[in-house]
Amino acid sequence: MHFHRRPSWHIPEREVTPERVFLDRRAVLAGLGFAGVAAASGLGVARPAAARPAGEAWTPAPPLDPAYADAGRAITPEAVSGSYNNFYEFGTHKGIADAAQKLPSDPWTLQIEGHAARAGEIGLEDLLAKMPVQERVYRHRCVEAWSMVVPWIGFPLAELVKWAEPTSAAKYVRFETLSDEKTMPGIRQSWYPWPYVEGVTIEEALNPLPFMVTGAYGKVLPKQFGAPIRLHLPWKYGFKSAKSVIRISFVEEQPMGFWQELQGSEYGFWANVNPEFSHPRWSQAQERVLGTGDEAPTVIWNGYGEEVAGLYKDMDLSKRGLWF
Ligand SMILES: Nc1nc2c(c(=O)[nH]1)N[C@H]1C(S)=C(S)[C@@H](COP(=O)(O)O)O[C@H]1N2
Ligand SMILES: [Mo]
């Protein structure tokens, strides 16, 4: 049994308390019929008591998974990772954090579709109540050759898959991002194949590593990271980790991803990290570690081979297609 010190990004209890008081007060107001009063007086309707506004402290703090407490590298400061984002729905540059604050992330409903006994609609709060919410520190490697380390909050995708009870017809899991023309200016760039879609095999989805992320740095997921729920696949290039997921489908056919559809000669379905297979336009041997100015050698499977290499044991590792 390992014991870990509370990591530094955890918010001290004394700073969390006012938020707790606020949440309690909100619950009390809802109980008193505040929503009705507010609507009648034209003040707007109160939020459901269960809502989690992006960026607020995640309370109570979830347990830190001892297997993923330390990513072997320093955690990227939130000021860095939270202001250098890829989220094309809000723009093609890295500075989309302000624009992303318009994302309507709360409340949120997920559609579960396809070959699964539990196909249907579920509210994020209802889903979270069924899932083992925990914290994991993961490395992230973007195909553009930069990397970061983030303490995520979330639950294993495998738990969601098991809960959904897919049938044997389900060979792949497809993820679809919200496409909201009102709040996402990037959607108007009609040459991109919206909505943003990604997918994994059902075997990959059942591996313990894929994480459904709902928080970061001790907080409800800030919007620019893909609030309120995004995927994180730490052994694959970052573009596989779809943000702001609204639809999870259990399908027979291999899903066509956003980047694969846009530029199939450069991006494919597998996109497993491997320093030896270059992108057609740049090397993948090294990575720029965000926030440090350091270059570091890239590691096959982004260093998660112990967990995931077995998934590909029957595949030809010399084929470029497994890596791009
Ligand atoms: N919906 C959506 N998901 C997305 C993207 C995007 O543009 N839209 N970009 C991807 C890419 S290329 C990367 S590297 C990561 C970036 O995640 P971050 O902004 O939290 O670092 O999100 C991925 N998920
Ligand atoms: Mo990326």
Side-chain angles (χ1 to χ4, degrees), residues 81 84-89 140 142 146 148 152 177 196 224-225 230 238-239 241-243 259:
S81 58
Y84 189 87
N85 301 97
N86 274 337
F87 202 165
Y88 273 48
E89 286 81 347
H140 174 100
C142 175
W146 55 265
M148 61 178 182
W152 300 121
T177 295
Y196 198 100
Q224 63 271 30
F225 289 112
R230 62 90 61 84
F239 68 84
S241 295
K243 293 181 165 184
W259 288 105

